[in-house]
Amino acid sequence: MISLPRVLLINPTITSHRHARFPLAILSLSAALEGKYAPTIIDGNVDRDFVSTAVRQVGEGSVAAVGVTVMGGPQLLSAIAVSKAIRERLPSVPIVWGGAFPTVCPEAALNAPYVDYGVRGQGEDTFLELLNALEAGWDEPVDSIPGLSWRLNGQAMHNKDRKFSTASLARMLPYDRLDNPRQYLTNTYLGSRTMGYQAALGCRFRCTFCGVATMFRGKMALPTAARLEQDLRFMKDRFGVNGIQFYDHNFFDREVDMVPLLEVLAKLQLPWWCFARSDALVNLSEASWALVKKSRLRMAYIGAESPSDWLLHDIRKGTSRDQTLEAVEKCRSHGVIPELSFMVAPPQDPEGETEKTFDFIRLIKRMHPATEVMIYVYTPLPRRGEPNGASARMTSELRDCADRPVVFPRTADEWAEPQWVDYWCHQDAPWVSARLRQRIVDFTTVLGCRYPTVMDVRASAWGKSALRALASWRYRFQRYDHPWELRVSRKLIRHWDPRVMSL
Ligand code: B12
Ligand code: SF4
C-alpha cells in the first residue's frame, strides 16, 4: 500500500472549548485532499495544548506541509504561536496560511518569517496545487497557481486571483476525521445539540467594509436541495443534531432559489439561525414566510450597520434605514427575532453617528423589544492595493484622534498588537476618543442588561430579571455613564457576550 504524504491542518484557538464549532475551513480542505494526501486535523479550540500537539506531530517526520487557518483578531495570536513553534522545531516544513487574515492582508501575512505561503480566498484547489508543486520539489514554479501569495527573494508576490469555485458544495465534510465530533454540538437556545453549518458559498454583494466581499468578490452559489437534505439528515440521525446555526455569508438570496432550501428546512423543522439582508426579508412573499415559520427560523442576523442612508450608500450596503425598520416589523409579525448589527463611530462623524445609532436602537426596541442588538465600531480594513480601504478612500483619508494619518500594520506581528486585535474585532479604532469608547461600552452595558439576550442560556431567569430591573432606570432616563453596578451584577450572573462567543 502506498502511504500518502502527511499534511497537518490546524485551527488555532479562537474560542473556548464550550463554544467550539466544527472547524469548517480545515474540514473542507481535508475533504479536498482526501485520497491524495493524508490530512491530520488539530483543533486548538478543543485541544488546549494544540501547539505542543502540532510540534510533536511535525517532529514525528514526513509532514509535507502545515496548513493554518487564520482569522484576524485573537486567532492571529494563536496562529503566530503555533507557526513559530513549528518553524523552530523543523524549519524545513513549509507553513501555509489561509482564511480571512491572509485573504485581506496577504502582504502582512508574508511579512513574517514563520509563514511561507498565503492562500487568498477559497483554499481547496490552491492548497492542493501548492502541495503538488511542493511534492515535485522546491524548484517547481508556483507563480502560476491562482490565489497564492508567496515570496521571491524576500519580495511578496501575489498571483492572480482564483476563480470562484462551487466544487466544495458537492463534497460531504469528513466529520469522522475529528476527534469525537459530538463535542462540537453545543447547548444553545436553538437546541441542546446545535451545529454550525455552512450551506451556501459567498455573497453577491460587495459592501466595502466586509471581508466576505474581499474573499468572494460578489460571487455566490447555493447547494442543491438534495445536498442540504442529505447533510442535515445525516447530522440529525448520526449525531442527534437539534438546532442549526447557518454560517452562510448571506442565507436569504433570491427568493426563487431559496424556496427549495426552505422546503427542506420546513420538512426537518430544526430550529435555525442565519445571516440575512433586510432587503431580502422585506421582499419575501407571504408563501415563503409561511415556509420560514414552519421551518422554525428563530433568529435572523441582519447587518443594519447604520441609521444613516448616506453611510449605507457610502459603504455600498444597498439597503436603507426604512428597510431595516420594515425588516424588523416583518420578523416581528412572523415570529422571528431580528438580530441587528450596527457599526458605530465611523471616521466621518464618530460622535454624531454613534448618538444617532443609539436613538435608532431605542426606536427599534420600542417597536419590537425582543430585537437583539450587536454594536461594533466601524473598522474598515486595508485591502491589497488600497492601503486605507475603499470606503475610507471615498470620504477622506483616515486620521486618528490627534489628526495624524492612520498607519496600518505591515506585518502579522504588528496586527497581533492589542490595539489592532481590538480593531479587527471592531472594538476600537484610532479615531475613537477615550470618551466615546467609554460611552459605547456604557451604552452597550445598559442596553444588554435592560434587554438580556435570549442567546444566553447559562444565566438564570431570575438573574436576567434582576439585571433588567437594575438597568431600567438608566435606560429610561438615558443615564448610561459608569454603570458600575450593572458590570458587577453581570459578572455575578455570568452573563455572556455573543459577539465574542457566538451563540
Ligand atoms: C464561525 C465563525 C466564527 C467563529 C469561529 C468558530 C470556530 N471555528 O470554532 C467565532 C464565533 C469564534 C468567530 C469569531 C470572530 N470572527 Co468569525 N466567522 C465565522 C464565520 C461565520 C464562519 C467561518 C467558517 O467556518 N466558514 C466556512 C469555511 C469553509 O470558510 P472559510 O473559513 O472562509 O475557509 C475557506 C477559505 O478562507 C480558505 N481557508 C481558510 N483557512 C485556510 C487554511 C489554509 C491552510 C488554506 C490553504 C485555506 C484556508 O479555504 C476555506 C475553504 O474554501 C465567518 C463568516 C463566514 N460565513 O465565513 C465569520 C468571519 C470569518 N469572522 C469574522 C470576524 C471579524 C470575527 C472576529 C475576529 C470578530 C467578530 N466580532 O466577529 C471574531 C473574533 C471573536 C473573538 N474571539 O474575540 C469575519 C472576518 C472578516 C474579515 N474582515 O476578514 C467573518 C468573515 C464574518 C464577517 N462577515 O465579518 N467567528
Ligand atoms: S451583504 Fe453581508 S456578507 Fe455580503 S458583502 Fe455585504 S456585509 Fe458582507
Side-chain angles (χ1 to χ4, degrees):
M1 205 173 90
I2 308 164
S3 73
L4 299 172
R6 286 175 68 215
V7 175
L8 290 195
L9 295 174
I10 305 178
N11 181 35
T13 307
I14 185 173
T15 189
S16 64
H17 190 164
R18 194 197 173 284
H19 287 95
R21 297 293 194 278
F22 288 126
L24 299 178
I26 54 175
L27 276 175
S28 188
L29 295 173
S30 176
L33 301 188
E34 211 64 51
K36 299 158 200 126
Y37 291 87
T40 301
I41 287 179
I42 300 177
D43 185 358
N45 287 337
V46 300
D47 177 350
R48 306 310 282 191
D49 196 15
F50 81 104
V51 175
S52 308
T53 308
V55 170
R56 201 171 49 247
Q57 292 268 359
V58 169
E60 283 167 11
S62 66
V63 169
V66 175
V68 187
T69 181
V70 194
M71 219 183 266
Q75 196 174 38
L76 180 60
L77 276 72
S78 42
I80 291 175
V82 74
S83 304
K84 273 186 177 164
I86 292 171
R87 175 90 334 147
E88 223 162 82
R89 175 70 182 81
L90 224 89
S92 60
V93 174
I95 299 178
V96 187
W97 277 19
F101 181 73
T103 297
V104 178
C105 308
E107 199 85 25
L110 285 181
N111 252 337
Y114 41 80
V115 180
D116 299 305
Y117 300 97
V119 170
R120 310 187 314 271
Q122 291 176 287
E124 293 87 346
D125 295 339
T126 310
F127 196 39
L128 193 55
E129 288 173 27
L130 173 65
L131 290 173
N132 291 343
L134 293 176
E135 278 298 287
W138 278 95
D139 294 340
E140 183 73 13
V142 293
D143 56 357
S144 59
I145 302 176
L148 188 71
S149 291
W150 52 292
R151 267 193 305 263
L152 181 65
N153 304 326
Q155 182 85 23
M157 309 295 289
H158 305 291
N159 297 353
K160 67 175 187 193
D161 290 335
R162 182 170 285 277
K163 285 207 178 89
F164 179 61
S165 163
T166 57
S168 65
L169 289 177
R171 285 191 285 260
M172 176 123 185
L173 294 184
Y175 297 103
D176 285 328
R177 282 208 172 268
L178 295 170
D179 186 21
N180 182 15
R182 280 191 176 76
Q183 68 184 317
Y184 291 93
L185 306 177
T186 319
N187 183 24
T188 72
Y189 76 102
L190 294 175
S192 54
R193 288 179 299 280
T194 301
M195 156 180 79
Y197 176 80
Q198 183 175 28
L201 286 176
C203 174
R204 70 177 77 256
F205 297 90
R206 303 180 83 149
C207 309
T208 56
F209 63 91
C210 178
V212 172
T214 314
M215 188 166 295
F216 290 95
R217 302 183 305 279
K219 296 284 187 304
M220 172 167 196
L222 305 174
T224 62
R227 183 78 247 281
L228 179 68
E229 185 162 355
Q230 184 195 7
D231 261 12
L232 298 186
R233 283 203 188 281
F234 170 82
M235 300 308 293
K236 196 173 167 207
D237 299 344
R238 176 79 176 274
F239 301 124
V241 163
N242 58 9
I244 313 165
Q245 187 179 9
F246 279 94
Y247 283 154
D248 298 26
H249 306 95
N250 176 27
F251 190 87
F252 283 95
D253 192 41
R254 297 194 182 116
E255 184 168 8
V256 60
D257 301 324
M258 284 310 303
V259 168
L261 303 186
L262 289 173
E263 280 166 350
V264 169
L265 296 173
K267 246 192 276 176
L268 288 160
Q269 301 198 346
L270 298 165
W272 57 295
W273 177 104
C274 70
F275 292 100
R277 283 175 58 96
S278 59
D279 48 359
L281 294 178
V282 163
N283 293 324
L284 218 54
S285 68
E286 276 309 311
S288 292
W289 272 111
L291 280 176
V292 166
K293 193 163 188 176
K294 191 167 172 218
S295 66
R296 303 176 70 194
L297 172 62
R298 287 282 156 83
M299 194 182 284
Y301 185 108
I302 304 165
E305 324 303 0
S306 165
S308 297
D309 283 338
W310 70 264
L311 185 60
L312 292 168
H313 179 261
D314 197 48
I315 59 176
R316 298 199 203 130
K317 183 74 193 181
T319 59
S320 66
R321 168 196 164 96
D322 288 352
Q323 276 171 329
T324 300
L325 295 174
E326 221 181 307
V328 168
E329 181 47 34
K330 284 269 183 193
C331 286
R332 193 196 60 73
S333 59
H334 293 93
V336 173
I337 299 177
E339 182 180 6
L340 302 185
S341 86
F342 289 97
M343 302 189 307
V344 295
Q348 297 90 333
D349 179 13
E351 310 250 342
E353 284 299 316
T354 300
E355 294 303 327
K356 210 168 156 188
T357 307
F358 291 171
D359 290 344
F360 191 57
I361 291 170
R362 294 180 67 91
L363 167 72
I364 287 169
K365 280 291 190 184
R366 283 196 296 277
M367 276 173 65
H368 186 18
T371 305
E372 298 272 339
V373 174
M374 298 286 197
I375 298 174
Y376 296 109
V377 171
Y378 175 61
T379 53
L381 284 165
R383 296 184 186 187
R384 193 154 56 89
E386 298 175 12
N388 272 341
S391 62
R393 261 190 320 120
M394 273 183 243
T395 49
S396 60
E397 215 190 306
L398 295 174
R399 304 191 83 82
D400 69 11
C401 291
D403 205 31
R404 290 172 304 223
V406 173
V407 180
F408 280 100
R410 296 207 162 81
T411 66
D413 288 300
E414 284 171 20
W415 271 112
E417 285 167 12
Q419 73 274 26
W420 290 110
V421 168
D422 283 353
Y423 187 89
W424 199 290
C425 290
H426 317 290
Q427 299 300 311
D428 200 1
W431 53 88
V432 177
S433 65
R435 202 200 73 83
L436 180 56
R437 194 176 317 122
Q438 195 54 51
R439 174 105 177 131
I440 296 167
V441 170
D442 289 349
F443 176 81
T444 308
T445 303
V446 174
L447 179 76
C449 292
R450 173 65 188 80
Y451 296 99
T453 171
V454 66
M455 289 184 266
D456 186 350
V457 288
R458 278 190 325 177
S460 60
W462 72 262
K464 287 188 186 179
S465 303
L467 278 181
R468 212 175 285 128
L470 262 178
S472 64
W473 73 270
R474 279 188 176 273
Y475 187 78
R476 184 159 176 219
F477 298 109
Q478 302 184 41
R479 300 286 296 273
Y480 311 129
D481 292 355
H482 313 298
W484 59 270
E485 77 287 7
L486 298 181
R487 259 179 225 127
V488 173
S489 314
R490 222 176 185 183
K491 272 210 183 102
L492 290 175
I493 291 163
R494 301 198 308 161
H495 197 237
W496 85 52
D497 183 352
R499 284 175 309 171
V500 177
M501 309 289 199
S502 178
L503 295 184

